[in-house]
Amino acid sequence: MNRRSLLKIAGTAAGAAAIGAAVPAASASAAGTAFAHPGLLHTRADLDRMAAKVKAGAAPYTAGFAKLTANRHSQSTWRPNPQATVYRGEGHPQNYTILYNDIHAAYQNALRGHVTGEEAHLDTAVAILNAWSAKLTAVEGSADRFLASGLYGYQFANAAELVRDRVDFDLARFQKMMLEVFSPLAEDFLRNHNGAVVSNYWTNWDLANMACVLAVGILCDDQAKVDTAVEYFKHGEGLGAIKNAIPVVHEDDGLAEWVEAGRDQGHALLGIGLMGTFCEMAWNQGIDLYGYDDNRFFKAAQYVAKWSMGGDVPFTPNTRAKGAINGWSGSETVSEAAPVDPAHTRPIWATIANHYTKRRGLSASYLTQIAAKSAPEGGGGDYGPNSGGYDQLGFGTLAFTRDRSTKPESPTSPAGSPSPASGSNSGSDSGAAPTSPSPSPSPQGGRDGDLAATGSSDLPAWTAATGLTAVAGGLLLLRRRARANRDVQ
């Protein structure tokens, strides 16, 4: 692949051949390897820091905590509404909004309980999680079911991790639900991409499901799942693998292009946020992906921060293959970065900025600026009523603000050594905006003819229409903006 010229991302024939190898074989390691707990987005040290800073009235923690307490999901009076089957996408009345609202209520109550020590909030979080693990048996729908498996899978695991030691929390039953309902869908997507060529689905589809597999692996002490997720991050065939998500590095200005910057701002922010989430969860298990490939993610985060604030950034035209294996095929070319709204933000920046500037001591002017501009960060319910406003757990100002380290930090390995696949970088390896489902104009590939079209947005400022052409089988693949009351990533 020539990363300085037209980027050819996985042609149709190559996609067919790659489908079986989309998830590289993880190194053999037995489930049950020691993990650090809590050890997803928040460690015990993180939770203790939040509590101490809020108790001391320290800024900006108090402002971040005020956002949490003001959110309706963080109230201990929240009552769950578990469903046996969750549906997202075409073909069945959708009820996934119930799921993500309950997940955010569980997470926010658990976080609030740890900060204040109020048992009522921890009890509410446990009650929500226990209710769902007692009832949920399936996630169904169109291709969008894979968005549900990824996004809600990693979020559910994070909420559970915060109360895993509570005596009234049925951890075993919750782990069983995650292993039987969410992880299989996420792993299947990374292997098969819903019967599509490997590049048919944009970066955030992969990243959401990678985050689910990693989070479930940590929650369930399953090293093989962790290895699978980390290996996909490094060497996967899909657009969520780091060198496909970030295909071009500009050494002269220290920036690296984020492939979805050619699509629209909302989805680019979602992807950056998901990669930050993935790296943070890995870091808390002793795996440094933040620094992988000479800080490739750092350079991309700086790029997206600068672009999202209205700055000029370089952009290399790229083409991705679209279509179904042994079915319809086409391609989509993006020639320039999409327009942006500098006022638009998502709660993603505190995590990334604090890692690179406070843990690592790097100069990151664009990350610093956009994190300050976005503070104090809220969470689900603070960024609009549609599902895009619930794609990140949020509250980064409270959760990820940290004092600057006196020397650059390295991740602390949990008890037991990580396997080779999940180790730190080796020298050999150089918000979403609320949008709507855009189904193909006719059934084309995928399960039961279901193959999502993933190139549109319902907000003009976030479209990637400029310079974008996409023709497949004589059909223009630029989709009409779909109804504003529905969402897709």
Side-chain angles (χ1 to χ4, degrees):
M1 183 184 298
N2 183 348
R3 302 189 183 279
R4 289 283 180 181
S5 59
L6 187 66
L7 176 64
K8 300 294 184 181
I9 307 177
T12 304
I19 254 331
V23 180
S27 62
S29 56
T33 300
F35 286 83
H37 296 296
L40 286 174
L41 283 173
H42 313 301
T43 65
R44 173 54 55 192
D46 293 333
L47 296 170
D48 290 345
R49 180 184 67 247
M50 291 179 233
K53 293 289 189 179
V54 169
K55 183 178 181 179
Y61 300 90
T62 50
F65 184 63
K67 292 288 288 188
L68 175 62
T69 58
N71 194 300
R72 70 185 183 92
H73 296 80
S74 75
Q75 310 310 310
S76 61
T77 53
W78 189 279
R79 295 295 177 263
N81 184 16
Q83 307 291 304
T85 303
V86 166
Y87 297 94
R88 178 168 179 167
E90 299 284 339
H92 194 283
Q94 299 184 87
N95 62 353
Y96 69 102
T97 60
I98 297 171
L99 174 60
Y100 67 65
N101 275 283
D102 273 3
I103 290 173
H104 282 259
Y107 172 78
Q108 291 181 28
N109 271 280
L111 193 62
R112 185 170 176 177
H114 277 290
V115 172
T116 65
E118 295 175 273
E119 292 292 317
H121 292 288
L122 295 167
D123 289 344
T124 297
V126 168
I128 296 168
L129 299 171
N130 280 345
W132 277 91
S133 69
K135 190 166 185 177
L136 182 66
T137 59
V139 172
E140 292 288 348
S142 65
D144 290 1
R145 69 193 182 278
F146 294 115
L147 292 173
S149 65
L151 293 169
Y152 312 137
Y154 94 77
Q155 293 174 1
F156 237 158
N158 269 276
E161 185 75 357
L162 291 177
V163 296
R164 66 178 296 133
D165 293 332
R166 302 281 296 182
V167 295
D168 49 347
F169 176 48
D170 195 334
L171 175 61
R173 190 176 71 196
F174 193 89
Q175 289 173 323
K176 182 174 184 289
M177 178 187 72
M178 298 305 294
L179 290 168
E180 294 182 356
V181 177
F182 290 92
S183 186
L185 272 176
E187 292 179 71
D188 179 68
F189 182 80
L190 295 177
R191 290 192 183 95
N192 300 305
H193 290 88
N194 196 35
V197 295
V198 73
S199 60
N200 184 75
Y201 291 93
W202 283 101
T203 298
N204 61 83
W205 290 73
D206 265 7
L207 284 171
N209 286 288
M210 291 159 59
C212 174
V213 175
L214 179 64
V216 172
I218 295 168
L219 177 74
C220 299
D221 296 310
D222 189 327
Q223 186 69 51
K225 291 189 187 304
V226 172
D227 291 348
T228 293
V230 171
E231 183 65 10
Y232 195 98
F233 175 92
K234 294 180 178 181
H235 304 299
E237 294 289 337
L239 298 188
I242 187 167
K243 291 184 182 179
N244 294 332
I246 310 168
V248 181
V249 176
H250 298 274
E251 300 294 352
D252 52 343
D253 58 11
L255 300 178
E257 297 178 20
W258 186 257
V259 71
E260 278 195 288
R263 182 187 182 191
D264 63 59
Q265 183 185 11
H267 291 102
L269 293 181
L270 170 60
I272 285 287
L274 287 170
M275 188 167 281
T277 292
F278 191 90
C279 290
E280 184 69 17
M281 293 189 298
W283 176 273
N284 288 332
Q285 297 299 327
I287 307 164
D288 183 12
L289 300 179
Y290 277 117
Y292 183 75
D293 195 24
D294 192 26
N295 286 318
R296 195 180 191 96
F297 178 51
F298 168 69
K299 296 166 187 175
Q302 283 269 86
Y303 174 98
V304 172
K306 180 181 181 182
W307 164 69
S308 198
M309 291 188 292
D312 292 331
V313 292
F315 190 85
T316 304
N318 65 74
T319 297
R320 68 187 182 100
K322 298 181 69 172
I325 300 298
N326 298 320
W328 71 279
S329 64
S331 64
E332 182 174 72
T333 297
V334 182
S335 60
E336 60 185 336
V340 300
D341 175 3
H344 176 53
T345 192
R346 287 294 186 220
I348 64 173
W349 295 112
T351 313
I352 303 167
N354 274 279
H355 173 81
Y356 287 115
T357 64
K358 300 298 180 63
R359 281 184 181 143
R360 285 287 171 78
L362 299 178
S363 175
S365 58
Y366 303 119
L367 282 172
T368 301
Q369 290 173 48
I370 203 166
K373 184 179 177 182
S374 301
E377 290 180 355
D382 292 325
Y383 296 88
N386 296 326
S387 66
Y390 292 81
D391 287 340
Q392 281 86 28
L393 290 168
F395 301 105
T397 305
L398 168 66
F400 299 108
T401 301
R402 59 187 72 248
D403 296 328
R404 191 181 184 93
S405 297
T406 56
K407 61 181 180 179
E409 294 183 25
S410 296
T412 302
S413 296
S417 300
S419 68
S422 56
S424 59
N425 179 32
S426 76
S428 62
D429 288 303
S430 302
T435 59
S436 305
S438 302
S440 301
S442 59
Q444 301 174 26
R447 190 188 73 168
D448 299 325
D450 165 38
L451 186 66
T454 59
S456 66
S457 168
D458 65 349
L459 295 178
W462 299 337
T463 62
T466 304
L468 179 70
T469 57
V471 179
L475 294 174
L476 182 66
L477 292 182
L478 286 174
R479 302 295 187 242
R480 295 182 182 276
R481 297 189 188 106
R483 303 176 196 91
N485 65 339
R486 300 170 60 201
D487 307 89
V488 71
Q489 272 67 34

